[in-house]
Amino acid sequence: MSKKPPTPRTNLHPQTIAAQGLGWIDAETGAVVPPIHNATTYARDESYELIGGRSYARPNNPTLEQPEQLLAALEGGEAAALFASGMASAVTLFQSLSPGDHVVAPRSMYWGLRDWLTGEGRRWGLAVDLVDSTVLEAVASAVQPGRTKLIWIETPANPDWGVTDIAGVAAIARRAGAKLAVDNTVPTPVLTRPLALGADFVMHSATKYLNGHTDLLAGALVAARQDDHWQRILALRGSGGAVLGAFEAWLLLRGMRTLFVRVRHASVSALEIARHFDGHPKLVEVLYPGLERHPGHAVAARQMEGGFGAMLSLRVKGGAEGALKVAARCHLWVRATSLGGTESLLEHRASVEGPSSPVQKDLLRLSVGLEEPGDLIEDLEQALQAL
Ligand SMILES: Cc1ncc(COP(=O)(O)O)c(C=O)c1O
């Protein structure tokens, strides 16, 4: 049986807490890496009491506890819960609301979730308004005090990396009696801690940076408070079954140990790449909040610490044809969806999202990985020469 993790010392830097996986040592063996508990059921003693307090793996698998407690510590929340995917975690949060509740979400956000909200979410009875969340007045005027139960934001947001003022939206939510949830997948707690800025929930596609190796699907919710709403979310996960598997949870903990070095390295590279291509004659625009000309730069500089993230987009001259030509000519950048892995990815979002996509047809989204940035710049330069 594993020892309880020591309460993280407040004077320890989050990177130290992550690198040591909360300092958890296996009580029985002294192992510094935890075992994987594959058991789906737990035994009872002769008086029919549960021996270890657990009954069944769907609501309660011990392998999930260490990565959950680590993520809660990094985000500064009271608790975290792991889900089978980022979508499963987000959908569970929306399903914890009641039919008739009003939700405000951004127009610019992960498209799969926007689709779910405006399709299944509405069918399920949620009233959903999409706004430009980078404009605080737009959020404030969409909110219906008493009826709005949740404001959802993503910052910097897919795929134009628009920046939303988290503290500003938190104040609007508080005044209206609504809760604020922030998709923190892209900045991660390394660069942004939404709970400290007034958010109630943080969501992650842990498939991305938290794991960091493009080899598992996972999601997470982190709560500022372990209140009744949080208990309902845990109950929905346990009964609905959108829980993470034990092996994935174990892999995720392994990935999170290196989160800080990966995110910081990739953010430095992304800034170098953005600065290199800013003003390039073959490009319409470079979209990256680390560039001073980006409309969200001032807010990003205030609420992000230590970097602007490793995601950027290039708008290529020549429309969709130009963008697809550049993508085709890249040798090092992998043409694939997703983000947050060690390998750099390049994606033509409009092709992936289909004809209804609001994304500009000339836009290539880049997820900067851990390669030498000079190699990545050289590969894009030679591809741009095709235009
Ligand atoms: C910002 C963001 N949020 C949520 C998701 C959904 O996560 P998952 O694919 O793990 O379900 C994604 C996936 O691309 C994403 O990029």
Side-chain angles (χ1 to χ4, degrees):
M1 188 174 294
S2 301
K3 248 206 261 177
K4 274 276 166 225
T7 310
R9 290 196 345 241
T10 46
N11 60 340
L12 290 179
H13 190 281
Q15 178 170 350
T16 305
I17 296 169
Q20 296 204 350
L22 274 180
W24 202 316
I25 307 284
D26 189 80
E28 198 177 312
T29 63
V32 299
V33 172
I36 304 176
H37 290 277
N38 282 322
T40 52
T41 193
Y42 295 87
R44 294 170 182 268
D45 64 16
E46 295 80 356
S47 51
Y48 220 71
E49 293 300 318
L50 287 165
I51 293 170
R54 296 183 181 85
S55 165
Y56 189 57
R58 175 156 33 77
N60 209 328
N61 184 322
T63 313
L64 274 59
E65 289 170 9
Q66 191 174 348
E68 285 176 343
Q69 288 173 9
L70 175 56
L71 182 59
L74 298 183
E75 291 284 6
E78 283 189 5
L82 293 176
F83 291 80
S85 68
M87 280 300 288
S89 61
V91 165
T92 301
L93 179 55
F94 286 110
Q95 289 181 332
S96 71
L97 304 177
S98 301
D101 285 351
H102 180 240
V103 168
V104 177
R107 263 188 223 117
S108 198
M109 65 185 284
Y110 172 59
W111 74 291
L113 185 56
R114 189 181 58 223
D115 261 19
W116 185 89
L117 264 177
T118 55
E120 296 303 327
R122 279 182 178 146
R123 204 194 331 248
W124 195 65
L126 293 177
V128 181
D129 273 324
L130 301 181
V131 300
D132 178 356
S133 65
T134 65
V135 179
L136 286 180
E137 295 73 29
V139 179
S141 57
V143 159
Q144 303 172 21
R147 187 170 177 234
T148 305
K149 292 293 171 355
L150 189 72
I151 303 180
W152 179 276
I153 57 174
E154 177 184 326
T155 179
N158 262 299
D160 55 7
W161 316 112
V163 178
T164 294
D165 179 342
I166 299 172
V169 177
I172 294 169
R174 236 186 343 270
R175 278 198 299 275
K179 290 192 172 160
L180 171 63
V182 181
D183 184 338
N184 207 30
T185 298
V186 166
T188 81
V190 176
L191 306 177
T192 307
R193 293 183 11 127
L195 301 182
L197 297 169
D200 300 283
F201 296 105
V202 158
M203 173 264 167
H204 278 276
S205 168
T207 312
K208 312 298 187 315
Y209 292 100
L210 292 185
N211 178 56
H213 294 77
T214 327
D215 54 10
L216 69 85
L217 269 180
L221 290 177
V222 186
R225 288 167 302 282
Q226 283 186 284
D227 55 12
D228 288 351
H229 194 168
W230 182 245
Q231 295 311 324
R232 175 156 166 70
I233 287 167
L234 291 183
L236 279 171
R237 181 184 69 164
S239 57
V243 69
L244 192 63
F247 181 56
E248 284 80 3
W250 184 87
L251 270 180
L252 179 59
L253 177 67
R254 171 177 147 132
M256 283 168 65
R257 286 176 182 258
T258 58
L259 176 69
F260 282 77
V261 280
R262 286 186 288 100
V263 170
R264 285 186 180 142
H265 180 95
S267 295
V268 169
S269 299
L271 182 59
E272 185 178 334
I273 292 167
R275 283 188 176 148
H276 177 91
F277 288 102
D278 189 28
H280 194 285
K282 301 282 172 100
L283 296 176
V284 176
E285 197 179 11
V286 176
L287 299 168
Y288 183 65
L291 293 177
E292 279 164 27
R293 69 163 80 221
H294 188 278
H297 178 73
V299 177
R302 202 167 67 226
Q303 73 186 14
M304 300 181 80
E305 205 183 310
F308 295 92
M311 297 299 299
L312 66 147
S313 296
L314 306 180
R315 293 189 57 206
V316 179
K317 283 190 179 162
E321 201 187 322
L324 287 166
K325 203 183 263 183
V326 171
R329 289 275 300 235
C330 280
H331 305 300
L332 200 53
W333 294 82
V334 180
R335 289 175 291 277
T337 193
S338 201
L339 53 113
T342 62
E343 63 289 305
S344 291
L345 307 179
L346 166 153
E347 187 183 32
H348 186 241
R349 286 298 303 169
S351 293
V352 172
E353 295 186 18
S356 66
S357 170
V359 176
Q360 296 101 332
K361 307 277 181 280
D362 59 5
L363 185 144
L364 290 176
R365 188 183 81 173
L366 309 183
S367 166
V368 178
L370 302 184
E371 304 91 337
E372 167 63 37
D375 290 340
L376 296 169
I377 288 171
E378 199 179 299
D379 192 40
L380 267 173
E381 276 289 5
Q382 66 77 29
L384 285 165
Q385 294 320 312
L387 292 180

